[in-house]
Structures are given as C-alpha cells and as structure tokens.
C-alpha cells in the first residue's frame, strides 16, 4: 500500500494563478480531509469529505474548492492564489471516526509558496 | 465554532525529565485523538480516547480523557531525545464529522 500520496511536494505560484493539489489514497478510507499548517497556528481544516460525492467546509474554506468523485481521490483547487495561501498543505484519510482506534493517515505534504 | 485549546505552546526539558501537554475544548467531545509530528515530517496518529475518564498507556506515554470529555492530557515519563517533535490533540464534537486540531505543543529535549 502506498498510503496517502500528495503531489506536488513543492510549488511556487504567482498571485492570481490557479492550481490543483492532488491527493490519492489506496486504503479504501471513507473520510478524507485537507488541512493547512502555518507556524503557530497548528493544523486548520479546509474541507473534508465523508464519502464519494459528499464534501463539506472546514474552518478555513475560502479560496479553496474540493470534489470527491471517487473514494480514492480528493483534489484541492486554489481558484486564484493569494500570498495568504502560502502554507504547507496536508491531505489525510481515515476510516469512519468511530470508536475503533483509527486515526487519520497523513500524506507527506505540499509546500506552497505564493509570490 | 468548535475550538480546541492546547497548552503549553512550547516546552523544553532535560533528557530524563517528564513532560505534559494539556488540551481543552469549549464543548463536549465525542472523542479525542493525539498525533506526533517530527520536525519536517507529517503528523502521525498515536491514539484515540473515547470514554469519559479513559486512561491509556503506550510505554512511557500516558493519555487521559477527562470525566466531562472536555479535556485531555498526554504525559511522557523520562523523556528521551527521540520524543522531540510537536504533539497535537484533535477533537470531534458530538454529531460532527470534523476533526479539529489544537495548535500543538512543541517539545525539545536537551541531551
């Protein structure tokens, strides 16, 4: 199993450009989420999905879109990049958050710089 | 909205000393999870607590979930240099599918 695969690992964008961060998992996990990590801010939830065709907003959704057409893939789209979106982005997946001792499996992250 | 507060933000200890990080929520949580992130790495799941007053141990790590399910703690006994990293708690409010993280406690260990 590859786990959670994120691409690209690094990206530099100009203000106003758009791009898609890719995330794929091969563990048949229902849940997938996107977090951004900024110094001193912890991990903030952008969007999440509890299954194919179902998405919902997290704490900081503005400027980002997501879709979940398959169980495996959960791309994050930046519509018009802004310097405030400079961050490290993590995709994570999990089985349903029930009483079983399962947590999120995180990808290795995408470091995005917007200039 | 749901908030998960974590203290302290930083902790520096001498190797062999104990370490504790605390997590508090403004609302009752259905469960709480703990993660560790090594410098330059990604968060790695450690454990999940579900029941009121639950205590779980993993070698030198002890995790507690408060009776009211609004607070939790992670205690490391006799820290080692391998314990270096940032420890995050993450909680889910009852009925919500969102997993909200605290800001983390960054632990450094002086050998």
């Amino acid at each position: 199993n590859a786990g959670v695969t994120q691409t690209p690992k690094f990206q530099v964008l100009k203000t106003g450009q758009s791009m898609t961060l890719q995330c794929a998992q091969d563990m048949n996990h229902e849940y997938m989420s996107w977090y951004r990590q900024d110094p001193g801010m912890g991990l903030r939830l952008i969007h999440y999905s509890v299954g194919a065709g179902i998405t919902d907003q997290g704490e900081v959704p503005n400027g980002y879109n997501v879709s979940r057409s398959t169980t495996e893939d959960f791309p994050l789209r930046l519509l018009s990049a802004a310097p405030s979106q400079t961050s490290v982005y993590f995709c994570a997946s999990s089985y349903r958050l029930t009483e079983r001792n399962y947590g999120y499996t995180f990808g290795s992250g995408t470091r995005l710089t917007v200039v | 909205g749901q908030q998960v507060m974590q203290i302290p933000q930083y902790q520096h200890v001498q190797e062999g000393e104990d370490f504790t990080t605390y997590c508090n929520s403004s609302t009752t949580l259905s469960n709480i999870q703990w993660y560790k992130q090594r410098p330059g790495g990604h968060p790695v799941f450690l454990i999940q607590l579900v029941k009121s007053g639950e205590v779980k141990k993993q070698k030198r790590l002890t995790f507690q979930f408060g009776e009211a399910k609004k607070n939790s703690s992670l205690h490391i006994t006799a820290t080692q240099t391998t314990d270096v990293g940032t420890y995050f708690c993450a909680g889910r409010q009852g009925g919500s599918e969102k997993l909200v993280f605290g800001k983390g406690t960054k632990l450094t260990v002086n050998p």
Side-chain angles (χ1 to χ4, degrees):
Chain A
N1 287 350
V4 178
T5 302
Q6 286 186 242
T7 56
K9 292 190 184 303
F10 302 93
Q11 183 71 49
V12 179
L13 286 180
K14 293 183 179 179
T15 297
Q17 286 186 319
S18 63
M19 80 160 294
T20 300
L21 307 185
Q22 301 291 345
C23 176
Q25 54 94 5
D26 61 357
M27 297 171 283
N28 203 31
H29 284 165
E30 296 100 321
Y31 282 30
M32 295 188 75
S33 294
W34 277 101
Y35 290 89
R36 59 177 289 175
Q37 185 171 35
D38 304 291
M41 298 299 292
L43 292 151
R44 291 185 291 171
L45 180 63
I46 305 171
H47 287 285
Y48 67 103
S49 169
V50 299
I54 306 169
T55 63
D56 206 346
Q57 295 182 348
E59 303 166 276
V60 288
N62 293 340
Y64 307 95
N65 274 358
V66 292
S67 61
R68 184 98 179 268
S69 57
T70 67
T71 300
E72 295 78 18
D73 299 299
F74 191 43
L76 178 71
R77 297 183 188 84
L78 279 69
L79 308 174
S80 177
S84 60
Q85 294 179 305
T86 294
S87 187
V88 179
Y89 291 84
F90 287 104
C91 178
S93 72
S94 173
Y95 294 111
R96 287 187 66 84
L97 298 177
T98 64
E99 293 189 10
R100 293 176 295 178
N101 195 31
Y102 289 123
Y104 268 113
T105 298
F106 279 79
S108 57
T110 295
R111 187 174 295 275
L112 176 68
T113 301
V114 182
V115 298
Chain B
Q2 178 185 343
Q3 287 190 333
V4 176
M5 310 301 291
Q6 194 173 351
I7 58 170
Q9 189 173 1
Y10 302 96
Q11 185 75 59
H12 179 77
V13 299
Q14 291 292 124
E15 189 171 20
E17 291 182 338
D18 292 356
F19 159 77
T20 305
T21 174
Y22 301 91
C23 190
N24 290 286
S25 171
S26 55
T27 58
T28 301
L29 300 171
S30 58
N31 62 0
I32 195 154
Q33 299 183 351
W34 286 92
Y35 292 77
K36 176 183 179 180
Q37 184 178 25
R38 294 182 185 275
H42 57 272
V44 174
F45 173 72
L46 294 176
I47 206 160
Q48 174 168 268
L49 304 173
V50 177
K51 299 176 182 176
S52 170
E54 189 170 14
V55 178
K56 288 188 176 180
K57 292 189 176 183
Q58 290 180 348
K59 298 182 179 178
R60 294 177 295 104
L61 277 61
T62 302
F63 305 85
Q64 293 187 341
F65 200 10
E67 293 290 341
K69 301 183 75 174
K70 287 186 175 182
N71 59 77
S72 181
S73 65
L74 159 59
H75 179 82
I76 302 178
T77 302
T79 54
Q80 300 174 359
T81 54
T82 53
D83 295 325
V84 164
T86 301
Y87 292 85
F88 292 97
C89 63
R92 188 168 66 94
Q93 187 179 8
S96 170
E97 304 299 338
K98 298 179 187 179
L99 188 66
V100 177
F101 281 74
K103 293 184 178 181
T105 296
K106 184 176 182 179
L107 173 65
T108 55
V109 179
N110 198 29

